[in-house]
Amino acid sequence: MPQDNTVQSVERAFKILEELATEKEGLGVTELASRIGLHKSTVHRMLTTLLSLGYVEQNTSSEKYRLGMKILFLAEAILDRMDIRREAHDLLEELSSKANEAVHLVVPDGFRAVYIDKLDSNKTIRMFSQIGRTVPLHASSVGKAILAFADKEFVEEAIKQGLTKFTKNTITNPKELLKHLEIVRKQGFAIDDEENEEGIRCIAAPVFDYTGKVIGAISISGPTVSMTHEKVERLSKDVIDCANKISQRMGWQPNR
């Protein structure tokens, strides 16, 4: 088979997997083909191969396809080599118990931040966030905690990517963002006050490695009805302490 066809097949296979990842209940061949712009016969043929490999499974009653359990094998292999996730988990559990809100751990992924761990609160209202999802750096507490302590060049490049407006509170002016990041650096934590999603308020602190480089951030997030401004202020010390403990486990020395 020519090399171009092989590359095209791989690209199509991943498009199918990525689209299936957006639907918990799965997708039928017709809808899947329409979404990714391929012929039904092509999609069906590729699904058959992915099915045989275990990366896709089919619901016998609805005949819809969804991601197979074998995907977890690949995901777990990546997560397992992320030491920060392993070192942080028990500390995140402690923080979650104190706050009784959703707690997240993220790492930078290009000019976005990706969730690599999450603990839900015991409340009936759950955060929409999930492991593997990404959030914008300029419009999230974790993202701003990372930007505030990142290299100047990285911040400049991040701004060049564009400061997309998600809500009326999103900071879209570069100068305003830079001033905001100065405040984050001074106080040691960042707040997302309904800047990425209406009705959600978050507080975050950065995580550093042994060289002092920011390598991630942790956050406490919840609906504004429970994550009041008073509660955010009360939790600021807890989120900073937790982030510092994780950083120390990663070799960071606060007095260096």
Side-chain angles (χ1 to χ4, degrees), residues 197-222:
E197 187 179 349
E198 296 281 358
I200 299 297
R201 187 173 290 126
C202 317
I203 180 171
V207 175
F208 304 97
D209 68 6
Y210 68 99
T211 68
K213 177 183 177 182
V214 60
I215 56 172
I218 62 168
S219 70
I220 304 171
S221 309

Side-chain angles (χ1 to χ4, degrees), residues 140-155:
S140 61
S141 62
V142 286
K144 290 188 292 182
I146 291 170
L147 281 177
F149 295 90
D151 293 338
K152 180 181 177 181
E153 292 75 17
F154 179 81
V155 177

Side-chain angles (χ1 to χ4, degrees), residues 172-236:
T172 57
N173 182 285
K175 289 184 179 179
E176 184 182 347
L177 178 62
L178 290 173
K179 288 182 179 179
H180 184 82
L181 295 179
E182 286 181 18
I183 296 173
V184 174
R185 274 193 297 275
K186 289 178 181 177
Q187 63 189 16
F189 64 88
I191 296 174
D192 165 7
D193 194 4
E194 300 184 79
E195 295 164 46
N196 184 44
E197 187 179 349
E198 296 281 358
I200 299 297
R201 187 173 290 126
C202 317
I203 180 171
V207 175
F208 304 97
D209 68 6
Y210 68 99
T211 68
K213 177 183 177 182
V214 60
I215 56 172
I218 62 168
S219 70
I220 304 171
S221 309
T224 51
V225 291
S226 62
M227 279 289 283
T228 62
H229 291 292
E230 291 76 18
K231 186 173 182 178
V232 167
E233 185 177 351
R234 189 170 70 250
L235 290 172
S236 60

Side-chain angles (χ1 to χ4, degrees), residues 33-250:
S34 175
R35 287 193 182 192
I36 62 178
L38 292 175
H39 195 276
K40 280 175 59 178
S41 61
T42 301
V43 172
H44 185 268
R45 188 167 60 249
M46 301 201 77
L47 282 170
T48 300
T49 301
L50 291 168
L51 188 65
S52 68
L53 293 171
Y55 292 109
V56 163
E57 60 186 32
Q58 186 179 27
N59 186 308
T60 53
S61 57
S62 68
E63 296 189 345
K64 289 184 177 181
Y65 293 87
R66 61 187 181 186
L67 293 182
M69 296 300 289
K70 198 172 181 181
I71 289 288
L72 288 175
F73 171 74
L74 300 180
E76 192 64 29
I78 295 172
L79 292 174
D80 277 349
R81 76 166 189 254
M82 289 182 166
D83 291 341
I84 185 175
R85 182 172 181 260
R86 183 168 57 249
E87 296 293 344
H89 192 76
D90 65 312
L91 294 172
L92 295 180
E93 288 181 330
E94 290 180 15
L95 185 62
S96 178
S97 297
K98 288 180 181 178
N100 195 23
E101 301 285 356
V103 172
H104 301 97
L105 171 66
V106 309
V107 293
D109 182 21
F111 295 105
R112 294 179 70 83
V114 58
Y115 294 113
I116 63 169
D117 204 356
K118 175 192 177 183
L119 286 85
D120 271 313
S121 71
N122 57 17
K123 298 178 180 178
T124 54
I125 301 176
R126 296 297 178 94
M127 292 287 295
F128 182 65
S129 57
Q130 65 185 64
I131 294 174
R133 284 190 177 274
T134 61
V135 289
L137 295 181
H138 73 286
S140 61
S141 62
V142 286
K144 290 188 292 182
I146 291 170
L147 281 177
F149 295 90
D151 293 338
K152 180 181 177 181
E153 292 75 17
F154 179 81
V155 177
E156 291 174 350
E157 284 299 317
I159 291 175
K160 286 180 183 178
Q161 302 299 310
L163 304 178
T164 304
K165 190 175 187 65
F166 296 97
T167 73
K168 60 183 176 63
N169 291 345
T170 306
I171 300 174
T172 57
N173 182 285
K175 289 184 179 179
E176 184 182 347
L177 178 62
L178 290 173
K179 288 182 179 179
H180 184 82
L181 295 179
E182 286 181 18
I183 296 173
V184 174
R185 274 193 297 275
K186 289 178 181 177
Q187 63 189 16
F189 64 88
I191 296 174
D192 165 7
D193 194 4
E194 300 184 79
E195 295 164 46
N196 184 44
E197 187 179 349
E198 296 281 358
I200 299 297
R201 187 173 290 126
C202 317
I203 180 171
V207 175
F208 304 97
D209 68 6
Y210 68 99
T211 68
K213 177 183 177 182
V214 60
I215 56 172
I218 62 168
S219 70
I220 304 171
S221 309
T224 51
V225 291
S226 62
M227 279 289 283
T228 62
H229 291 292
E230 291 76 18
K231 186 173 182 178
V232 167
E233 185 177 351
R234 189 170 70 250
L235 290 172
S236 60
K237 184 178 185 301
D238 291 327
V239 74
I240 291 174
D241 287 347
C242 182
N244 286 348
K245 288 177 181 177
I246 296 170
S247 298
Q248 287 169 4
R249 289 186 178 185
M250 300 305 294

